[in-house]
Amino acid sequence: MKIVEEPNTFGLNNPFLPQTNRLQPKMSPSAVSGPAHLFRLAGKCFSFVESTYKYEFCPFHNVTQHEQTFRWNAYSGILGIWHEWEIDNNTFVGMWMREGDSCETKSRQTKVHLVCGKSNKLAYVSEPSTCVYSLTFETPLVCHPHSLLVYPTLTEALQRKWDEAEQLLYDELITDQGYKKNLKEIFEEAGLLKAREEKEVEKQSKKITLEFETVEKCSKEYKQLSEEIKKLRVLLGQRGIAYRENSAGNTSVEYVSHQVAAAVASVLNGSKDDEPLHGDTGIWNYTA
């Protein structure tokens, strides 16, 4: 296992110092969530020693690593703080511990896999990629086939929302994308996932996308876009600007809008020395 060490201040790992002085978390752990029978693990910690390193997994709290040597700057740090569940196919597949100690330009994080075992113990630790760790925790609490199902952990109100989403998908009133978005919102409301700000890409990109959540919305947006294209066609025709279709005669919204946009851009980007447009008065309004 690859270990990335960082220089520490002298005395930071002095065993006589309180633990709170040695490990400074970036954030508080998320609230306890998930299967109720796992809540009994909260407040407990489980250790695993590999070579000169000791790892501690404290469910619903954090994961830490301690170098057990007499070096003055022996590393002792946080590999992740309890953040959220990873969910797939109605199943809790792992616990994510994020926002650990800094590691170059990012923070350390750890995914904990829960597997069936005769006793509660931390069984294996690895580092599949730099500063991203993987822990395997064995426990008899997940041996039952239904022990990690998500649906039973939800409130009746959220279960109804899930049922409604299933029906909408079955009736083809929403797409798979819309269905997954609905589930994500349900899991966030239940406190199983942390809400994220995912609008940065939308702000940076002004491109037209044809991905819609419902058939109704798709049809409505397509109709509006078609009307806009018709208006632009008329405008370009009045100014004597031609746009072309592809060799296959493609008149799809995406293709035509691209051609129209290119033609409009050629007008807007024209310099003051450009010739007047066909059908124009020949006078540029410089004061506009």
Side-chain angles (χ1 to χ4, degrees), residues 159-216:
Q159 288 180 351
R160 284 195 297 271
K161 286 187 177 181
W162 193 338
D163 294 339
E164 292 170 359
E166 290 277 1
Q167 188 63 48
L168 291 173
L169 181 64
Y170 179 80
D171 294 336
E172 298 184 349
L173 296 177
I174 59 174
T175 62
D176 287 336
Q177 181 183 358
Y179 173 72
K180 292 178 180 178
K181 181 179 180 181
N182 285 349
L183 288 191
K184 183 175 180 293
E185 292 175 351
I186 290 173
F187 298 155
E188 289 176 352
E189 187 174 347
L192 304 176
L193 298 181
K194 299 287 280 187
R196 295 183 178 84
E197 296 181 358
E198 298 177 341
K199 297 183 179 179
E200 295 182 2
V201 176
E202 297 179 7
K203 293 180 182 180
Q204 296 176 357
S205 175
K206 296 182 180 180
K207 295 181 180 179
I208 299 176
T209 63
L210 299 179
E211 296 181 359
F212 305 101
E213 297 171 15
T214 67
V215 176
E216 181 182 358

Side-chain angles (χ1 to χ4, degrees), residues 231-251:
K231 293 179 182 178
L232 288 173
R233 282 175 174 171
V234 174
L235 176 62
L236 293 176
Q238 292 174 348
R239 291 182 173 269
I241 301 175
Y243 64 90
R244 62 182 178 82
E245 298 178 354
N246 63 10
S247 58
N250 191 337
T251 56

Side-chain angles (χ1 to χ4, degrees), residues 33-34 71 75 97 105 122-123 131 182 185 233 243 248 256 264:
S33 64
R71 296 192 309 125
Y75 177 76
M97 307 286 186
T105 59
L122 189 57
C131 299
N182 285 349
E185 292 175 351
R233 282 175 174 171
Y243 64 90
V256 174
V264 173

Side-chain angles (χ1 to χ4, degrees), residues 123-184:
Y124 181 72
V125 179
S126 65
E127 187 177 0
S129 59
T130 304
C131 299
V132 178
Y133 305 84
S134 176
L135 270 64
T136 299
F137 180 71
E138 296 181 356
T139 174
L141 297 175
V142 300
C143 291
H144 190 278
H146 298 163
S147 60
L148 291 176
L149 292 182
V150 178
Y151 188 87
T153 69
L154 302 177
T155 62
E156 291 185 2
L158 293 179
Q159 288 180 351
R160 284 195 297 271
K161 286 187 177 181
W162 193 338
D163 294 339
E164 292 170 359
E166 290 277 1
Q167 188 63 48
L168 291 173
L169 181 64
Y170 179 80
D171 294 336
E172 298 184 349
L173 296 177
I174 59 174
T175 62
D176 287 336
Q177 181 183 358
Y179 173 72
K180 292 178 180 178
K181 181 179 180 181
N182 285 349
L183 288 191
K184 183 175 180 293

Side-chain angles (χ1 to χ4, degrees), residues 66-78:
H66 308 273
E67 182 180 3
Q68 297 183 308
T69 67
F70 292 100
R71 296 192 309 125
W72 68 271
N73 64 338
Y75 177 76
S76 182
I78 299 174

Side-chain angles (χ1 to χ4, degrees), residues 64-115:
T64 58
Q65 179 192 56
H66 308 273
E67 182 180 3
Q68 297 183 308
T69 67
F70 292 100
R71 296 192 309 125
W72 68 271
N73 64 338
Y75 177 76
S76 182
I78 299 174
L79 302 187
I81 300 169
W82 165 237
H83 192 74
E84 63 182 351
W85 286 96
E86 179 173 325
I87 299 174
D88 183 47
N89 193 27
N90 188 26
T91 304
F92 294 104
V93 297
M95 302 178 70
W96 272 107
M97 307 286 186
R98 305 189 191 275
E99 296 299 328
D101 289 350
S102 298
C103 178
E104 298 178 352
T105 59
K106 56 184 180 181
S107 298
R108 301 176 192 269
Q109 58 180 331
T110 302
K111 180 179 177 180
V112 181
H113 303 267
L114 304 178
V115 299

